[in-house]
Amino acid sequence: MATNGTPPADTHALLLEILASIKSLRQDHVGLSSTVDAIEGRVNTLAGVKQLKDGLARDASIASPKIPPMVHRSRESITSLDGDGKDVNPDAPLSTSPPPRRPSTTSKIILTSYPGQSGVDPISLKWGASDPKERGPVVVNRGSTTIRKRNAVGAHGGSYAIYYALAVGSQQLNTDHIPDFTNTEPAANIGPFPAWGDPKKIVAMDPLGHLAPWLFKDIIQKDHVDIRPTIAVTRAHMLLPELKESVAAGRLVPDGTICMNDKGELAVTKVAVEPVWYLPGIAERFNIDEGTLRRSLFENTGGSYPELITRNDIKVFLPPIGGLTVYIFGDPAKMSDEKLSLALRVHDECNGSDVFGSDICTCRPYLIFGIEEAVKEAQKGGSGVVIYFRKEGRALGEVTKYLVYNARKRGSDKASEYFKRTENIAGVKDMRFQSLMPDILHWLGIKKIDRMLSMSDMKHDAIVEQGIPIIERVPIPDELIPEDGKVEIDAKIHAGYFTTGRVMTLEELGSVQGRPWEDVDVSDLLKGFAEM
C-alpha cells in the first residue's frame, strides 16, 4: 500500500481488470440466458405443433415451466441490470438522459402455455350455450389475477392492442388495472335472440359481449378475474353536411325525432363491436379444418400467437383486426320484427372517400345514400340500419390501395383493367371475406331485409346463405356517381355486381377511362427516382 493511502499502480490496474471481467461475465450471462429462453421457447413451440398434429393432449404429469406472477414497479423505480441500482464503473460519467425504464413484468418471458400445465386453470367456456352461466365469459387479459384463468388467445382492442402494449411498456398503464363499469351499461336493449345460442350463426363476435361485466359480476368480484366487454351500445346525434342538402332538396323531411331539424341532424343508436372468433366455427365457415386455420393464423401473424398451436383446448381468438360499428335509425326493437320493413346498408371502410371525399370511388356517396334511405324507412315506421366494417381497401390496406391507384393512373386506368392491377400487386382482388359479415345481422335479430342498399354480389350471397332473405336490392343512383368513380362501378357491375341497368361488354369497358394525373409529369418523376 502506498504511503498516501492509494493502491500501487499494479494493484489498481488489477482491480480495474477484475471489474471489467465481472462486467463481461454479466453480459455473457444475459446473452446466455436469452439464448436458453429462445431455445426453450422453440422446443416448446415444436412440441405444441406435434401435439396439434397428433391430436393428443399434453401429459399433465410432465413438469412444465411455471407462469410467473406479474410484478409492477412505480414509474419512478429504475434499476440496473442486476437490480441493485449501482453502476459497475463508479468513475464513469453520468448520462445526461434518463436510462430506459425496466419492464413492468418479470424478466422471464413465457412464450406459450399448454393444457394441463401447472397453474393453468381456464374458466369454462361453452360457445353457443343459451344460458349465460353455462356459456361462461370470454377471458383473455393477462393481469396477475387473470392470466391463469384465460380461455381465449389474443387481446382486447383488436388492432389497437399494440397501443395498449406501448402504454404498459412505458409504464403509463398498470396491467392489473380493473375497469370501473359504473353507468356504462348499454343505452338500448338488444336481444337476446335465438341466434345468440347457435354456434353456427355467430362465430366472429361474442353475442354476450355487451353484457359481460354484469352477467359475470360474481366471477369478477369473487375470483378477481378481469372480464371486459367486447360490445358497447350508446346513443348520439349525427350531423353530415350532405344531410342538410338532403333536407333542402326534400329527400329528408325533419320529424323532430329521427331527423331532428332542417340541418339534417339525426338521432342514432350506435353499437361498437370488437372481433371475437370461435375458431371451430370460423374454420367451418371457410370449409377448412381447425388445425389448418390455427397454423395459418400463427404463421401469418409472424408467430405472434403460439398458443394457437399449443393450446388446442382454447377455442376462442381475439384477432388484431378492426371491428365494426352499427348505426340504427328508429327504435332498435323494430329490427327483429318481421312484420316491419327494414332498409340495410353494409359498408366497408374507405378512409379516402368516407372521410376526405376522394372522388375516385363511390364509397361516400353510397354511404350517404344508405343513411338517407335508412332514415326514411325508419320514419315510415320500419327500421334503418347502416353497418360500417373496418376493412380498408377491401381488407388489403390503404398502402396497397394507393399503390393500385398509382398503377392505374400511370397506365390507362380503364374499367377493363380495374381488377387486374389489384391482383398484380396483392395477388388477390378482394380479402374482405363477407362470409363472416352476417354474424352481426344475427346478433341484431334481423330475419329479413326488405331493401338492401348494396350492389355487392359477395355481400348478398353471404347474407342469403345464412338464411336471411333479401327482398329488394337498391343500386346507387347514377347521379351520385363521381366522374372518376365510373371506372370502379362499371368494372364491378361487369364482374357481377347488381344493377338495374345494362351490363357493359368487355370491349365497352375499355372505353371507360379515369381522370389522368394532369398535374404530374410522370416521366420526370420516374427519371428522378432512377437517378437517386
Side-chain angles (χ1 to χ4, degrees):
M1 181 70 69
T3 56
N4 61 1
T6 60
D10 55 346
T11 303
H12 182 71
L14 180 60
L15 290 174
L16 290 177
E17 183 178 348
I18 292 172
L19 285 173
S21 298
I22 292 173
K23 185 176 182 179
S24 177
L25 285 172
R26 283 177 173 170
Q27 292 174 341
D28 291 343
H29 175 75
V30 172
L32 179 61
S33 178
S34 298
T35 301
V36 170
D37 282 347
I39 293 173
E40 179 186 39
R42 180 60 177 163
V43 171
N44 288 342
T45 300
L46 290 174
V49 172
K50 184 177 186 303
Q51 168 195 327
L52 187 64
K53 181 179 179 181
D54 296 343
L56 301 175
R58 187 171 185 270
D59 189 347
S61 65
I62 300 177
S64 304
K66 194 172 184 180
I67 299 176
M70 305 289 276
V71 177
H72 302 279
R73 300 183 176 93
S74 66
R75 293 185 60 188
E76 291 75 20
S77 174
I78 298 178
T79 58
S80 64
L81 183 64
D82 60 358
D84 61 8
K86 297 179 181 179
D87 205 298
V88 173
N89 184 358
D91 296 325
L94 294 175
S95 172
T96 56
S97 60
R101 296 187 178 111
R102 292 291 302 277
S104 60
T105 60
T106 63
S107 60
K108 181 72 172 179
I109 299 176
I110 302 300
L111 296 179
T112 193
S113 63
Y114 300 90
Q117 181 176 332
S118 175
V120 171
D121 184 23
I123 290 178
S124 176
L125 175 61
K126 186 178 179 181
W127 194 269
S130 55
D131 183 353
K133 291 183 178 179
E134 182 185 3
R135 208 303 295 271
V138 171
V139 182
V140 72
N141 278 3
R142 303 178 71 90
S144 60
T145 60
T146 303
I147 188 169
R148 294 169 174 82
K149 298 290 186 180
R150 294 176 306 121
N151 55 23
V153 178
H156 282 294
S159 57
Y160 296 99
I162 295 299
Y163 290 103
Y164 181 94
L166 287 174
V168 172
S170 61
Q171 297 187 356
Q172 308 290 320
L173 176 64
N174 189 313
T175 56
D176 282 335
H177 168 72
I178 301 296
D180 179 359
F181 292 115
T182 303
N183 291 331
T184 64
E185 295 88 348
N189 293 325
I190 296 177
F193 299 109
W196 292 16
D198 189 334
K200 293 183 180 294
K201 287 190 175 180
I202 298 182
V203 301
M205 58 182 289
D206 178 8
L208 304 181
H210 60 312
L211 302 173
W214 301 278
L215 288 175
F216 306 110
K217 185 177 181 179
D218 290 347
I219 298 177
I220 295 174
Q221 293 180 344
K222 293 179 181 178
D223 299 330
H224 305 288
V225 175
D226 188 355
I227 299 173
R228 305 193 180 192
T230 55
I231 302 173
V233 184
T234 190
R235 292 176 179 173
H237 286 187
M238 175 187 292
L239 188 60
L240 298 170
E242 290 93 336
L243 298 180
K244 184 176 182 179
E245 298 173 7
S246 300
V247 173
R251 293 193 302 273
L252 281 185
V253 178
D255 60 4
T257 304
I258 301 173
C259 183
M260 305 182 69
N261 49 48
D262 58 5
K263 294 187 296 184
E265 187 174 357
L266 305 178
V268 62
T269 300
K270 303 198 298 183
V271 183
V273 181
E274 290 181 6
V276 178
W277 286 7
Y278 176 57
L279 294 173
I282 297 287
E284 183 178 354
R285 196 76 64 89
F286 281 87
N287 196 29
I288 58 177
D289 64 88
E290 185 185 339
T292 299
L293 172 64
R294 285 175 175 268
R295 178 167 181 170
S296 183
L297 290 171
F298 169 72
E299 291 182 341
N300 293 289
T301 56
S304 298
Y305 302 95
E307 286 175 322
L308 288 169
I309 302 298
T310 64
R311 293 297 301 274
N312 60 344
D313 61 319
I314 291 180
K315 300 298 184 182
V316 173
F317 176 46
L318 275 62
I321 60 174
L324 64 94
T325 309
V326 183
Y327 297 85
I328 304 166
F329 302 96
D331 184 358
K334 293 183 177 180
M335 291 183 295
S336 59
D337 190 338
E338 294 183 81
K339 298 177 182 178
L340 302 177
S341 181
L342 182 142
L344 172 72
R345 166 72 183 164
V346 176
H347 189 93
D348 292 327
E349 176 185 28
C350 177
N351 183 61
S353 178
D354 296 342
V355 180
F356 296 100
S358 172
D359 68 344
I360 200 172
C361 60
T362 60
C363 295
R364 183 178 175 97
Y366 215 160
L367 177 61
I368 298 298
F369 176 68
I371 292 172
E372 285 185 6
E373 294 301 305
V375 169
K376 287 191 285 188
E377 203 66 52
Q379 288 178 322
K380 290 187 293 185
S383 185
V385 179
V386 174
I387 305 176
Y388 194 90
F389 280 86
R390 269 71 184 187
K391 295 179 180 179
E392 177 65 59
R394 301 185 205 150
L396 298 169
E398 204 164 30
V399 169
T400 297
K401 176 194 281 189
Y402 286 10
L403 294 176
V404 172
Y405 287 170
N406 288 350
R408 286 173 52 189
K409 293 303 183 182
R410 288 188 178 121
S412 58
D413 194 19
K414 295 179 179 179
S416 56
E417 299 178 7
Y418 176 77
F419 288 112
K420 179 181 178 182
R421 300 309 293 127
T422 302
E423 289 181 284
N424 287 347
I425 294 170
V428 62
K429 66 181 181 181
D430 200 316
M431 290 199 308
R432 284 175 289 183
F433 299 123
Q434 301 294 353
S435 58
L436 299 179
M437 174 267 293
D439 284 32
I440 184 61
L441 304 182
H442 289 312
W443 185 79
L444 293 169
I446 293 174
K447 301 180 185 67
K448 71 172 176 63
I449 300 165
D450 296 271
R451 304 185 72 233
M452 179 72 178
L453 306 162
S454 171
M455 300 164 68
S456 169
D457 53 329
M458 292 185 295
K459 292 175 183 175
H460 171 274
D461 294 348
I463 292 172
V464 172
E465 286 172 6
Q466 280 292 302
I468 301 174
I470 296 174
I471 310 303
E472 179 188 4
R473 302 173 71 179
V474 184
I476 184 173
D478 289 341
E479 62 269 20
L480 297 182
I481 300 173
E483 186 66 28
D484 202 35
K486 290 182 179 179
V487 170
E488 172 214 36
I489 200 68
D490 288 341
K492 287 182 175 180
I493 291 172
H494 182 269
Y497 270 45
F498 173 78
T499 182
T500 54
R502 190 176 68 85
V503 179
M504 289 186 174
T505 66
L506 186 61
E507 183 178 356
E508 289 174 323
L509 286 181
S511 63
V512 180
Q513 190 161 343
R515 183 183 62 246
W517 276 349
E518 298 174 350
D519 56 342
V520 177
D521 190 330
V522 177
S523 59
D524 288 346
L525 183 64
L526 294 177
K527 181 180 179 181
F529 282 139
E531 294 174 351
M532 290 179 64

